[in-house]
Amino acid sequence: MKLTSLILAVAVSAFTLVAHGEAPKDSAAIEEALKAKLSKLERGPDSREKAMAFFKETITEIDAYLKATPDAKDKVKAEVLKVQLLNATGQEAPSSEKLADLYKQLTKGKEGDLMSAMPLIALQVRGAMSKGDKKAAAALLDTFEKDFADHPDMEKQGSRMVGSLRGQLNQPAVGDTMEIAFTALDGTKVDLAAMKDKVVLVDFWATWCGPCVGELPNVKKAFETYHAKGFEIVAICHLASLPDALT
């Protein structure tokens, strides 16, 4: 992840700690303190390492803050920021149950805490996707959209995140089934369901696609090399009309 992405991921939260462990005064002061620290990071070969060190230091400060003020009004915001920092630094993130509990504690609706909800939902969705549970991931996004449907920033920020995640849900993943069955031009019945014990390349190409045609020799070579070991190719060509030779 790039440094700018890390900064944006953290800046989306309105919570951080003031230097030297002093108690935060309000959200505005907290956010300004975060921006001030980030602004001191000069771009360079070691900027990422410096950012990581800062994030880890902030995690320690958050832990100390939560221990000293367990009933703080901004407790959930503090924990959400910690979750973001753990994710940014590649450390072990809280369990899906913990993320769900934090989300449950957030205020929803028109006056809800959208900025804290977004990273919690995103992490839960990615967690569900990593387990191949697209149904659960989609349900999480549905809940989020319903919970913040009336929020003034939902369309501008929340919907953008939802759209991106739904786009990822539509992409093929390990364990997904591609259902393709048809009769080839030579009359052969083709059904991917009957090839479960084979490695199958589904090649979508077109006669008018230069790169596609240029790659055909390599595709043919791969087939000749690995077919005996169980490799199959299902080539699907897009044609505006069939050539005379095939009609």
Side-chain angles (χ1 to χ4, degrees):
M1 182 181 293
K2 295 181 179 180
L3 174 60
T4 53
S5 298
L6 293 175
I7 292 175
L8 288 174
V10 177
V12 74
S13 173
F15 179 88
T16 191
L17 297 178
V18 179
H20 310 303
E22 296 178 4
K25 298 178 181 179
D26 53 44
S27 296
I30 292 168
E31 188 170 6
E32 287 305 313
L34 174 59
K35 290 180 179 179
K37 288 185 177 182
L38 292 175
S39 67
K40 296 178 181 179
L41 290 175
E42 298 182 359
R43 294 187 178 279
D46 61 345
S47 57
R48 179 182 174 82
E49 288 71 21
K50 289 181 179 179
M52 289 294 180
F54 166 72
F55 294 153
K56 292 178 180 179
E57 177 184 316
T58 305
I59 291 173
T60 301
E61 292 177 352
I62 292 173
D63 286 337
Y65 174 76
L66 292 174
K67 182 177 180 180
T69 54
D71 298 321
K73 293 182 179 180
D74 53 6
K75 178 181 178 180
V76 175
K77 283 183 175 293
E79 294 197 35
V80 171
L81 177 59
K82 180 180 176 180
V83 166
Q84 291 177 274
L85 292 171
L86 288 172
N87 182 61
T89 53
Q91 300 183 63
E92 184 177 357
S95 65
S96 57
E97 291 76 17
K98 175 63 175 179
L99 294 173
D101 181 63
L102 287 174
Y103 181 80
K104 185 178 179 180
Q105 296 180 58
L106 294 175
T107 303
K108 316 296 194 305
K110 187 176 181 179
E111 303 297 331
D113 190 354
L114 179 66
M115 292 298 99
S116 293
M118 287 173 60
L120 292 178
I121 285 294
L123 287 173
Q124 289 183 78
V125 168
R126 292 193 177 99
M129 290 172 61
S130 69
K131 298 176 182 178
D133 195 345
K134 290 188 175 183
K135 184 176 181 180
L140 286 164
L141 292 175
D142 291 341
T143 297
F144 172 71
E145 288 185 302
K146 181 178 179 181
D147 288 341
F148 291 92
D150 298 331
H151 196 284
D153 292 328
M154 183 60 184
E155 183 176 354
K156 181 172 62 175
Q157 299 186 44
S159 295
R160 183 181 303 175
M161 179 197 75
V162 171
S164 175
L165 291 172
R166 287 199 188 280
Q168 294 176 39
L169 284 177
N170 291 330
Q171 296 177 5
V174 175
D176 285 355
T177 300
M178 181 182 292
E179 298 179 359
I180 296 180
F182 60 91
T183 300
L185 292 173
D186 62 358
T188 303
K189 299 291 183 180
V190 179
D191 188 351
L192 288 186
M195 303 180 185
K196 290 185 178 180
D197 60 337
K198 300 179 180 295
V199 175
V200 182
L201 167 65
V202 180
D203 183 17
F204 293 92
W205 67 291
T207 55
W208 42 260
C209 173
C212 299
V213 174
E215 192 65 22
L216 287 178
N218 293 325
V219 173
K220 182 179 180 181
K221 182 179 180 180
F223 180 79
E224 294 172 344
T225 302
Y226 300 107
H227 178 61
K229 298 181 180 181
F231 178 61
E232 298 286 354
I233 297 176
V234 176
I236 301 176
C237 180
H238 178 275
L239 294 171
S241 62
L242 290 176
D244 294 338
L246 299 177
T247 57

